[in-house]
């Protein structure tokens, strides 16, 4: 694998079987995402965006082809190994936040750290730092029902980054939010990318996302139909040129 | 330990459901432990009170038939017999008809040798021998009626057509049946007009290995008399009283297990519902990297705690109720107190744990192994 790429999908096909039907969600896709890039995967419903994300996150298996993340090929990993790998390398953000309702913001963010060997005090430090990064240090004792949608998504982002993963994958992170909250979440993800050099892969329908990302990968019917620089990248190039 | 808080919080996510589940397990285990305690206690009482050296000799026709007083001398000279004490059932009641307890007349001179394991002090035995109206009471009867040493009481005859006035000179303990009262047989004989009959002879044998020989010898000795005898060990004698209750005890045990199985199924249904509602959360946790076995362990721990809470509650309630009954109605066929033995306590707690684990195992295992993508799709 080429080391400059954080994520490398080579000739990946994913076929789902639903009763007697075979659904080809991805058809021979080859896709490379460089390290520390913020990328969006866009396309109409059923184009295979979430399938790509699931393969990168190691929660789904390719029917054929190779998926490599960092310097590890995860295609052939067993579920037990994949679980450990996900805990170390992947932070997941979902459209509907998927926070545990009986846990406070603090406890939700702490959850992935329970898989580590960190002591309680160390876990507390990590959680407080993550919540500070997303601007919710003052809400750590709140339960999800006591937070707005945007705040819940921020907690979900804190939970995704608290273990300091290599890659953050976000599935429609603004899909359930109003315009203002969506902008804030996109800005936050951009900040994580710029400040902490996280590789962020985001699936979205939101056209506003193009302004924030480095690259847009367009899918249609399971096929990669285009790779375009995002407006953020174009803006950065212009700024570089001016400099 | 780091998952303790998570398990407790998950357990109380639906407080009402958890409380109702705990209560249903508690009620079923209350029923189970109370039902199963009765036969266990009966067996325990036999084991506790019976001596390997004592033999009961009664009429072959049954324990309600009498034997001639003259047998005592013949029994006493039988090889390996150390002592013989005659016993007659008075069956008196204290105040009301419900105030019944086993009261027996025994030979005063032989009583101490016959029942040295009944925890009676030497001084009390001495007073028992010296006072014709003396009686000794077991601890359950004493606490039931508030008796104390020095108190004079009157027993109303229910079988005999007269009342007896007795003076309490001591309290029995040790292996004595806790609800027994014994008094002197010479007092009963005199009041009854020297009838010349006794209900049972208690025989103390010199060594346990000679018990069988003594039993055979006694029954052979009286086999051609007008009152043939049937001799048996003390455990077998008391066991005979319980025989009529055996079927009921078996029914109780079966009912107890049916209740447990039923509540196990109800708990399984509740656990399945609870876990089903959390499939999305479980999928999210697995996507974070929680291994299936950790998820399974967390779900089982939660269910185990619910089961144990129900077990402790049900078992504790049964223990207290039986303890209360021990004071208020302390007999099983006149032999002893109804108390929950430690073995039943332990058994009930283990069953509670098993209900907890097995009720959740199948849905928990299924949820922990479910395909993450499929589970997340359900949430979305």
């Amino acid at each position: 694998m080429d080391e400059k790429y954080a994520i490398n999908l080579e000739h990946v096909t994913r076929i789902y079987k639903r009763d007697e039907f075979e659904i080809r969600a991805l058809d021979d896709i080859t896709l490379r995402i460089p390290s520390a890039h913020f990328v969006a995967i866009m396309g109409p419903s059923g184009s295979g965006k979430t399938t790509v994300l699931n393969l990168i996150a190691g929660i789904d298996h390719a029917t054929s082809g190779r998926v490599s993340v960092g310097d590890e090929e995860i295609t052939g990993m067993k579920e037990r190994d994949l679980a450990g790998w996900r805990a170390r390398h992947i932070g997941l953000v979902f459209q509907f936040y998927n926070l545990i309702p009986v846990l406070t913001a603090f406890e939700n963010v702490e959850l992935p750290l329970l898989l580590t060997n960190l002591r309680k005090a160390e876990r507390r430090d990590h959680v407080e730092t993550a919540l500070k990064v997303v601007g919710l240090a003052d809400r750590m004792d709140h339960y999800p029902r006591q937070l707005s949608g945007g705040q819940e998504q921020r907690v979900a982002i804190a939970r995704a980054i608290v273990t300091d993963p290599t890659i953050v994958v976000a599935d429609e992170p603004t899909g359930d939010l109003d315009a203002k909250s969506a902008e804030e979440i996109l800005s936050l993800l951009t900040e994580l990318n710029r400040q902490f050099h996280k590789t962020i892969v985001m699936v979205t329908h939101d056209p506003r996302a193009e302004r924030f990302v480095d690259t847009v990968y367009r899918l249609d019917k399971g096929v990669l139909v285009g790779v375009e620089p995002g407006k953020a990248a174009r803006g950065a190039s212009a700024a570089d040129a001016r400099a | 330990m780091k998952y303790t808080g998570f398990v407790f919080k998950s357990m109380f996510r639906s407080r009402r459901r958890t409380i109702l589940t705990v209560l249903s397990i508690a009620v079923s285990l209350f029923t189970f432990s109370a039902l199963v305690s009765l036969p266990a206690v009966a067996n325990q009482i036999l084991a506790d009170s019976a001596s390997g050296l004592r033999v009961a000799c009664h009429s072959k026709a049954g324990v309600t038939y009498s034997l001639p007083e003259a047998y005592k001398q013949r029994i006493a000279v039988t090889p390996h017999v150390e002592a013989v004490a005659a016993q007659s059932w008075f069956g008196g009641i204290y105040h009301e008809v419900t105030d019944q307890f086993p009261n027996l007349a025994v030979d005063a001179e032989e009583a101490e040798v016959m029942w040295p394991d009944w925890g009676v002090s030497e001084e009390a035995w001495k007073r028992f021998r010296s006072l014709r109206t003396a009686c000794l009471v077991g601890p359950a009867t004493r606490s039931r009626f508030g008796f104390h040493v020095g108190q004079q009481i009157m027993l109303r005859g229910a079988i005999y057509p007269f009342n007896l006035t007795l003076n309490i000179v001591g309290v029995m303990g040790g292996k004595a049946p806790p609800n027994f009262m014994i008094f002197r047989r010479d007092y009963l004989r005199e009041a009854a007009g020297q009838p010349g009959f006794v209900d049972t002879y208690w025989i103390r044998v010199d060594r346990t290995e000679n018990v069988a020989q003594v039993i055979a010898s006694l029954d052979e000795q009286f086999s051609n008399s007008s009152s043939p005898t049937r001799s048996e060990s003390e455990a077998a004698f008391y066991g005979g009283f319980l025989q009529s209750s055996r079927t009921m005890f078996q029914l109780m045990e079966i009912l107890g297990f049916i209740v447990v199985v039923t509540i196990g199924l109800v708990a399984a249904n509740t656990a399945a519902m609870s876990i089903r509602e959390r499939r999305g959360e479980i999928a999210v946790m697995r996507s974070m990297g929680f291994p299936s076995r950790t998820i399974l362990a967390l779900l089982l721990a939660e269910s185990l705690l619910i089961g144990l809470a129900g077990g402790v509650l049900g078992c504790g309630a049964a223990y207290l109720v039986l303890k209360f009954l021990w004071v208020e109605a302390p007999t099983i066929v006149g032999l002893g107190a109804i108390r929950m033995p430690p073995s039943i306590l332990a058994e009930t707690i283990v069953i509670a744990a098993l209900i907890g684990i097995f009720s959740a195992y199948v849905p928990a295992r299924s949820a922990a192994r479910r395909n993450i993508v499929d589970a997340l799709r359900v949430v979305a």
Side-chain angles (χ1 to χ4, degrees):
Chain A
M1 182 197 147
D2 192 336
E3 281 188 15
K4 66 182 178 180
Y5 294 111
I7 298 159
N8 197 348
L9 274 68
E10 285 183 41
H11 302 290
V12 170
T13 296
R14 179 65 171 112
I15 299 169
Y16 292 109
K17 286 185 180 170
R18 293 282 178 264
D19 304 320
E20 70 271 28
F21 300 108
E22 277 195 353
I23 300 160
R24 190 172 283 263
L26 293 178
D27 190 4
D28 195 28
I29 274 198
T30 296
L31 183 153
R32 294 185 179 90
I33 298 171
S35 291
H37 268 226
F38 182 10
V39 306
I41 300 174
M42 303 181 81
S45 294
S47 58
K49 306 184 295 290
T50 300
T51 304
V52 169
L53 207 67
N54 291 342
L55 290 172
I56 293 169
I59 58 175
D60 198 4
H61 290 278
T63 308
S64 64
R66 281 176 43 180
V67 180
S68 304
V69 178
D71 54 1
E72 286 182 274
E73 184 181 335
I74 61 168
T75 323
M77 275 191 192
K78 289 180 179 169
E79 176 48 36
R80 188 179 295 181
D81 300 326
L82 265 177
W85 176 83
R86 281 196 300 270
R88 288 189 304 275
H89 297 291
I90 300 292
L92 270 156
V93 179
F94 302 94
Q95 180 179 357
F96 298 108
Y97 335 126
N98 288 351
L99 300 177
I100 311 283
V102 293
L103 302 182
T104 61
F106 181 94
E107 290 162 339
N108 265 290
V109 177
E110 189 188 23
L111 204 53
L113 293 177
L114 297 180
L115 292 165
T116 66
N117 293 323
L118 294 175
R119 284 174 300 170
K120 195 173 181 180
E122 293 171 319
R123 291 204 302 270
R124 170 164 281 278
D125 288 345
H126 279 68
V127 173
E128 284 174 355
T129 305
L131 282 168
K132 263 181 209 157
V133 167
V134 300
L136 284 177
D138 57 335
R139 298 294 174 99
M140 56 177 73
D141 294 326
H142 286 58
Y143 286 91
R145 64 176 181 279
Q146 297 164 333
L147 300 170
S148 68
Q151 287 170 331
E152 279 196 73
Q153 194 61 294
R154 283 166 179 269
V155 174
I157 291 170
R159 181 178 67 183
I161 61 169
V162 73
T163 53
D164 195 23
T166 329
I167 292 159
V168 174
V169 294
D171 190 1
E172 302 271 12
T174 58
D176 196 44
L177 299 175
D178 59 62
K180 185 171 173 288
S181 300
E183 289 268 348
E184 285 172 2
I185 292 299
L186 289 169
S187 299
L188 176 60
L189 290 173
T190 307
E191 195 184 323
L192 291 176
N193 169 249
R194 301 286 184 262
Q195 199 175 330
F196 300 103
H197 309 291
K198 298 288 172 202
T199 303
I200 300 177
V201 184
M202 173 175 66
V203 159
T204 185
H205 276 112
D206 191 342
R208 281 173 300 213
E210 288 185 49
R211 287 195 285 117
F212 294 85
V213 298
D214 299 313
T215 311
V216 177
Y217 294 85
R218 294 200 186 274
L219 294 182
D220 190 21
K221 294 177 184 170
V223 177
L224 184 65
V225 293
V227 181
E228 304 157 9
K231 285 176 187 167
R234 291 202 293 271
S237 301
D240 290 346
R242 278 198 299 276
Chain B
M1 284 303 287
K2 60 186 173 184
Y3 291 111
T4 311
F6 179 74
V7 169
F8 273 101
K9 287 213 165 187
S10 295
M11 196 170 123
F12 286 105
R13 67 177 52 227
S14 172
R15 207 162 287 186
R16 185 185 302 168
R17 181 167 57 200
T18 301
I19 289 171
L20 287 174
T21 308
V22 167
L23 286 179
S24 62
I25 293 173
V27 169
S28 75
L29 291 179
F30 170 86
T31 313
F32 169 80
S33 53
L35 286 175
V36 174
S37 284
L38 298 179
V41 164
N43 292 330
Q44 192 59 46
I45 287 167
L46 282 183
D48 285 351
S49 58
S51 159
L53 292 173
R54 278 194 293 269
V55 168
C57 175
H58 56 84
S59 170
K60 194 175 182 180
V63 289
T64 52
Y65 291 86
S66 304
L67 294 172
E69 270 185 335
Y71 279 13
K72 185 174 178 182
Q73 297 308 319
R74 292 173 64 183
I75 294 170
V77 296
T78 306
H80 305 297
V81 170
E82 282 192 334
V84 186
Q87 173 191 290
S88 292
W89 176 271
F90 179 60
I93 54 178
Y94 184 44
H95 281 142
E96 303 299 326
V97 182
T98 50
D99 293 342
Q100 292 190 40
F101 56 92
N103 39 80
L104 309 133
V106 299
D107 289 341
E109 292 306 318
E110 291 85 1
E112 187 176 2
V113 181
M114 188 59 62
W115 294 288
D117 51 347
W118 278 14
V120 179
S121 66
E122 212 169 294
E123 201 182 325
W125 280 127
K126 215 177 271 178
R127 284 200 294 268
F128 187 69
R129 282 191 296 269
S130 61
L131 182 66
R132 203 166 53 91
T133 57
C135 72
L136 298 165
V137 290
T141 298
R142 187 185 61 156
S143 58
R144 183 181 172 196
F145 298 110
F147 291 157
H148 57 85
V149 174
Q151 186 178 351
Q152 187 174 70
I153 59 167
M154 192 178 74
L155 291 185
R156 288 162 55 200
I159 301 167
Y160 292 88
F162 52 83
N163 302 336
L164 289 178
T165 301
L166 299 167
N167 291 288
I168 300 171
V169 297
V171 178
M172 296 186 286
K175 287 187 168 184
N179 50 349
F180 268 30
M181 169 185 274
I182 58 169
F183 60 94
R184 289 173 53 149
R185 206 175 69 82
D186 52 352
Y187 181 39
L188 178 65
R189 275 176 69 212
E190 192 182 300
Q194 313 286 350
F197 292 99
V198 298
D199 291 335
T200 308
Y201 285 106
W202 284 101
I203 296 119
R204 188 172 181 84
V205 181
D206 56 359
R207 297 170 72 173
T208 46
E209 53 265 38
N210 295 327
V211 166
Q213 188 190 330
V214 169
I215 286 172
S217 166
L218 290 175
D219 291 345
E220 192 187 336
Q221 197 178 154
F222 300 113
S223 61
N224 292 320
S225 67
S226 58
S227 300
T229 58
R230 182 174 173 198
S231 305
E232 51 196 342
S233 68
E234 186 173 20
F237 178 71
Y238 284 138
F241 284 101
L242 292 176
Q243 206 53 47
S244 57
S245 308
R246 289 280 174 213
T247 310
M248 189 184 75
F249 286 165
Q250 281 171 355
L251 196 63
M252 283 176 161
E253 284 175 332
I254 292 168
L255 276 175
F257 280 106
I258 288 173
V259 167
V260 165
V261 169
T262 308
I263 208 62
L265 293 173
V266 172
N269 186 44
T270 311
M273 276 167 55
S274 168
I275 291 169
R276 189 182 170 82
E277 284 170 11
R278 276 185 276 166
R279 282 184 305 181
E281 286 175 27
I282 291 166
V284 169
M285 286 177 71
R286 288 190 59 210
S287 70
M288 284 178 203
F290 279 84
S292 296
R293 61 179 185 280
T294 306
I295 302 270
L296 179 65
L298 290 172
L299 293 171
L300 290 183
E302 189 183 319
S303 189
L304 174 68
L305 281 176
I306 289 175
L308 284 177
V312 169
L313 209 60
C315 203
Y319 180 84
L320 290 177
V321 167
L322 290 182
K323 197 174 177 187
F324 172 72
L325 284 179
W326 181 66
V327 176
E328 294 299 317
T331 62
I332 295 177
V333 292
L335 279 178
I338 307 169
R339 276 171 295 177
M340 187 183 290
S343 60
I344 298 292
L345 272 171
E347 193 179 316
T348 308
I349 296 297
V350 168
I351 287 174
L354 291 177
I355 286 177
I357 289 173
F358 283 114
S359 64
Y361 183 74
V362 172
R365 187 168 179 269
S366 162
R369 289 180 160 201
R370 194 184 156 105
N371 182 285
I372 300 174
V373 174
D374 288 344
L376 285 174
R377 193 174 289 136
V378 171
V379 189

